[in-house]
Amino acid sequence: MTRPLTHHVMPGFTGHTASGHRTADPYGKLMEERILLLGTPIDETSANDLIAQFMYLEHRAPDRDIALYVNSPGGSFHAMSAIYDTLRFVTCEVETVCLGRADGTAALLLAAGTPGKRYVLPGARLVIRQPALPEPAEGSASDLAVQAEELSRVRDRIEDMLARHTHRTPEQVRSDIERDTVLDARAAVKYGLADRILAERESPRPTPGAR
């Protein structure tokens, strides 16, 4: 069994309030502004963290947008699928922003954002690819056949997601993920993974969810 990857915890900071000092952490401050960050490989731990935050923010304000910032090398398809289903399940519209990288399954999450609200920064790098087994396949012939069938099912799901969100044909997507396809910001928009390049922060930028 693959263990969740270790995550680094960002140190907190102390702020001044009317009632004295209060210790906070950057992730908590971002969530107050309805901004979530996927800045690690995608595994069960990061998926559960994001799912909990999505559900909490929807409960607090179901009619306000949530912003998901992505800088991830991708990871587990099944963990990504749980985030993907949650992103599409919540009533809030979800703005997605790639800063840095979005590889493999992370690129799928970027593309799954609300149409018209999917952004990339100028230096972003995205990769779309077919799935692979996380470790060398071992076992009996029957076990290997089951793994091959599951890998084929996952590939079909990835092709379906990419075709749905990029409006490319399934045949083109199938060809494009046969090998890694690397896209810069402009190419990602052209491909349909994002809607616009954010060349600079809009000033003043509205709080996510402001209608």
Side-chain angles (χ1 to χ4, degrees):
M1 176 175 142
T2 302
R3 297 181 63 185
L5 299 172
T6 300
H7 295 167
H8 298 286
V9 178
M10 192 177 294
F13 58 91
T14 301
H16 298 279
T17 66
S19 57
H21 299 288
R22 184 170 68 94
T23 300
D25 69 275
Y27 292 112
K29 295 296 290 184
L30 287 173
M31 196 164 79
E32 288 178 9
E33 300 300 324
R34 302 181 68 82
I35 297 172
L36 308 182
L37 174 64
L38 174 59
T40 66
I42 299 173
D43 62 10
E44 291 86 352
T45 300
S46 59
N48 287 334
D49 288 347
L50 279 177
I51 290 168
Q53 292 174 74
F54 270 116
M55 301 300 287
Y56 172 77
L57 292 177
E58 182 198 34
H59 176 74
R60 287 289 301 270
D63 60 340
R64 292 183 59 198
D65 291 8
I66 298 170
L68 174 63
Y69 283 67
V70 179
N71 178 30
S72 171
S76 163
F77 172 82
H78 300 293
M80 181 282 299
S81 187
I83 302 170
Y84 176 93
D85 286 346
T86 303
L87 184 154
R88 294 174 61 78
F89 174 76
V90 296
T91 58
C92 312
E93 293 192 349
V94 179
E95 171 188 297
T96 54
V97 183
C98 176
L99 61 170
R101 66 191 293 195
D103 295 359
T105 52
L108 293 174
L109 290 177
L110 180 78
T114 300
K117 297 183 178 182
R118 306 173 306 162
Y119 308 112
V120 288
L121 269 60
R125 172 186 180 274
L126 291 83
V127 181
I128 55 174
R129 60 166 62 105
Q130 64 176 306
L133 292 174
E135 50 195 27
E138 297 180 353
S140 67
S142 298
D143 290 338
L144 294 176
V146 170
Q147 292 181 58
E149 184 177 350
E150 174 63 9
L151 196 62
S152 178
R153 185 191 71 82
V154 169
R155 174 164 177 153
D156 288 344
R157 285 278 291 138
I158 289 174
E159 291 174 1
D160 178 67
M161 290 177 181
L162 284 172
R164 179 186 310 157
H165 296 298
T166 65
H167 304 294
R168 300 268 169 170
T169 65
E171 294 75 20
Q172 182 173 1
V173 169
R174 189 172 304 118
S175 174
D176 291 339
I177 68 170
E178 189 63 30
R179 289 184 173 84
D180 283 8
T181 296
V182 181
L183 306 166
D184 62 12
R186 187 181 299 275
V189 171
K190 183 177 180 181
Y191 196 86
L193 293 168
D195 301 305
R196 184 159 66 92
I197 298 173
L198 290 180
E200 59 183 20
R201 179 181 284 274
E202 298 171 3
S203 182
R205 178 161 182 166
T207 299
R211 302 281 177 128

